[in-house]
């Protein structure tokens, strides 16, 4: 079945993915494509409408990203330009855009002008909006009307005859309170979409697709990590082909306390997955012995994981497919300048395995954002305990034990981490933070216990707020909470006499300590 589609042409804005999420929240499927996506391809996809995103460039720059000359003539469906998208549309069609006297960044108040507007239908005359631009439109192209201003700046323009609309501000961000209504006007009234994108329709279509790809007799293997993505992917595949999927869940000895046993039980008893649980802790510890360099640890863990997984996969026999929980943000061919942080650390996954074992990939979540995975996972009956679980790195506690790794250090950290997380739940703070964990530092310091002087280890607690892990702020957790977590850790975890709380943001720090 072909869904109604909105295409977003990406000009590099930090908000491009947010636009896509907003559109999808309205029940309309939406994809991000690079700004140079050809007009022919756009027409072939039959979108109901197009959005031109914002971007960091200035339209007047010689090498600014642009659309092709025939774009506005050949595309007849409605187009909404946002920020840079507005300036581009105006300049391309004969208007002008110039650098503003001062960069406008932050809150502004928009005033609607009298006259016909489709984009502001049923919205108030004055609205708070979020601005982030250096240039603005100074001359209207022919056939356009100004429908709103902020101060003396042209903030919104419309050309009803040609189905063209543009706004200078960002309707996709929460700081534009009526932004959702503006997007609704565009999506439903102007593009006439009917909202056919839902968890139910996605699951039904995906299940049918998997059945077709795998066929009547094909076998599939899937690596489970205990996290949201691999679990939702496995459950979807299970809906399609049942026990012809064999899942492999590896204990690398670097998981949180009791995580291997509890998650394995849940996979089997609640989700009825066909899972092989492999305790390979000793193999991992052996290879990691005396290794202190973080990148080296990651490489070893990745390599040993592939060894173990390959060995188990071979036992399944005849498997032609490998399930992976790849998400949409990983596959977007985006021009967004996300910075070097993506490649600073080599992330651990089953890289290289599909080619080596001649497996074809099944990636049922390729079209989804993380929040959609959670939503759709709920529809599939996956417990909240998994869906709301904080992100956990593939190399696990290895990158939270600074220095070399021993089973004793792992156990100590597991205990401290368990207390921290338990208390976050007790104080109802777990869902308020994006990620929280304990770190074991490679130093000892002096303390007192009764009449004795101690010389023991230090645990650092880290809790951050974030939306995607790319940037993060340290969580302002209440002092009463920190006091409770700290005193429990020092009294219940033998070998720890000091607890510190990490108050660094990302950047310049990272979320993990290694
Ligand atoms: P950083 O520490 O880079 O972390 O600020 C950002 C997010 O990525 C996770 N992370 C990893 N995940 N393998 C993973 O699968 C890794 O090697 C790795 N390093 C960091 C981290 O937990 C956070 O959510």
């Amino acid at each position: 079945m072909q869904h109604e589609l909105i295409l977003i042409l990406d000009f590099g804005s930090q908000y491009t993915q947010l636009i896509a999420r907003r559109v999808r929240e309205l029940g309309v499927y939406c994809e991000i494509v690079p700004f140079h996506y050809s007009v022919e391809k756009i027409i072939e996809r039959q979108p109901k409408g197009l959005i031109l995103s914002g971007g960091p460039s200035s339209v007047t720059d010689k090498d600014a990203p642009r659309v092709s000359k025939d774009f506005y003539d050949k595309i007849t469906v409605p187009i909404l330009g946002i920020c840079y998208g507005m300036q581009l549309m105006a300049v391309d069609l004969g208007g002008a855009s110039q650098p503003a006297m001062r960069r406008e960044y932050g809150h502004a108040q928009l005033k609607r002008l009298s006259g016909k507007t489709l984009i502001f239908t049923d919205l108030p005359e004055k609205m708070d909006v979020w601005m982030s631009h250096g240039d603005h439109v100074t001359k209207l192209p022919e056939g356009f009307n100004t429908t709103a201003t902020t101060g003396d700046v042209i903030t919104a323009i419309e050309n009803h005859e040609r189905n063209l609309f543009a706004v200078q501000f960002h309707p996709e961000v929460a700081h534009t309170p009526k932004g959702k209504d503006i997007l609704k006007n565009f999506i439903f009234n102007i593009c006439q979409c009917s909202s056919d994108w839902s968890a139910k329709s996605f699951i039904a279509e995906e299940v049918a697709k998997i059945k077709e790809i795998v066929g009547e007799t094909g076998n599939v293997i899937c690596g489970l990590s205990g996290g949201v993505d691999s679990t939702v992917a496995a459950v979807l595949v299970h809906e399609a082909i049942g026990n012809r999927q064999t899942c492999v869940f590896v204990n690398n000895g670097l998981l949180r306390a009791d995580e291997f046993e509890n998650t394995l039980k849940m996979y089997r008893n609640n989700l009825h997955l066909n899972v092989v649980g492999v305790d390979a802790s000793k193999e991992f510890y052996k290879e990691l012995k005396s290794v202190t360099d973080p990148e080296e640890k990651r490489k070893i863990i990745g390599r040993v994981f592939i060894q173990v997984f390959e060995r188990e996969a071979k036992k399944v026999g005849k498997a032609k497919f490998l399930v992976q929980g790849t998400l949409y943000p990983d596959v977007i061919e985006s021009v967004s300048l996300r910075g070097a942080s993506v490649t600073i650390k080599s992330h651990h996954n089953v890289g290289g395995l599909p080619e080596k074992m001649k497996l074809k990939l099944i990636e049922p979540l390729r079209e989804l954002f993380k929040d959609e995975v959670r939503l759709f996972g709920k529809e599939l009956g996956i417990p909240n305990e998994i869906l709301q679980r904080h992100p956990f790195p593939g190399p696990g506690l290895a990158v939270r034990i600074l220095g070399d790794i021993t089973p004793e250090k792992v156990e100590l950290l597991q205990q401290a981490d368990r207390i921290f997380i338990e208390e976050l739940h007790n104080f109802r703070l777990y869902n308020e933070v994006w990620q929280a964990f304990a770190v074991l530092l490679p130093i000892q310091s002096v303390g007192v216990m009764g009449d004795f002087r101690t010389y023991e280890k230090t645990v650092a607690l880290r809790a951050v707020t974030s939306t995607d892990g790319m940037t993060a702020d340290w969580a302002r957790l209440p002092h009463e909470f920190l006091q409770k977590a700290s005193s429990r850790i020092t009294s219940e975890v033998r070998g720890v006499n000091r607890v510190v709380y990490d108050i660094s943001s990302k950047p310049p720090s990272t979320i993990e300590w290694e």
Side-chain angles (χ1 to χ4, degrees), residues 422-433:
E422 237 171 55
E423 287 305 327
L424 277 171
H425 281 296
N426 291 344
F427 278 73
R428 305 217 175 287
L429 290 167
Y430 185 81
N431 291 331
E432 303 295 311
V433 297

Side-chain angles (χ1 to χ4, degrees), residues 11-60:
F11 289 91
S13 164
Q14 56 175 326
Y15 298 132
T16 303
Q17 291 197 20
L18 205 51
I19 307 174
R21 284 164 60 181
R22 292 286 168 267
V23 174
R24 289 191 186 187
E25 275 164 24
L26 296 173
V28 178
Y29 183 65
C30 171
E31 269 184 33
I32 299 170
V33 293
F35 68 89
H36 47 73
Y37 202 67
S38 76
V39 171
E40 289 70 36
K41 273 203 233 157
I42 294 176
I43 295 171
E44 205 183 296
R45 302 287 308 270
Q46 300 182 330
K48 298 281 280 185
L50 248 56
I51 296 177
L52 312 181
S53 85
S57 313
S58 175
V59 204
T60 46

Side-chain angles (χ1 to χ4, degrees), residues 298 345-348 391 393-395 434-435 469 506 510-512:
R298 279 191 170 79
K345 292 172 186 174
S346 57
H347 280 211
H348 142 77
W434 196 73
Q435 195 171 7
K506 172 182 178 177
T510 50
I511 297 176
E512 303 292 345

Side-chain angles (χ1 to χ4, degrees), residues 294-295 298 341-342 344-349 390-396 399-400 434-435 437 462 464 468-472 506 509-514:
E295 275 304 276
R298 279 191 170 79
S341 53
V342 197
I344 284 174
K345 292 172 186 174
S346 57
H347 280 211
H348 142 77
N349 56 27
H390 290 168
F392 188 68
V399 291
R400 295 175 180 173
W434 196 73
Q435 195 171 7
F437 52 89
R462 178 86 163 131
V464 296
D468 54 8
M470 302 298 292
T471 60
K506 172 182 178 177
S509 302
T510 50
I511 297 176
E512 303 292 345
W513 276 46
E514 282 196 337

Side-chain angles (χ1 to χ4, degrees), residues 269-286:
N269 302 346
N270 299 28
L271 299 175
H272 312 292
L273 294 173
N274 170 20
V275 198
V276 183
V278 189
D279 187 356
S281 312
K282 289 208 176 87
E283 218 167 318
F284 281 89
Y285 291 151
K286 189 167 154 243

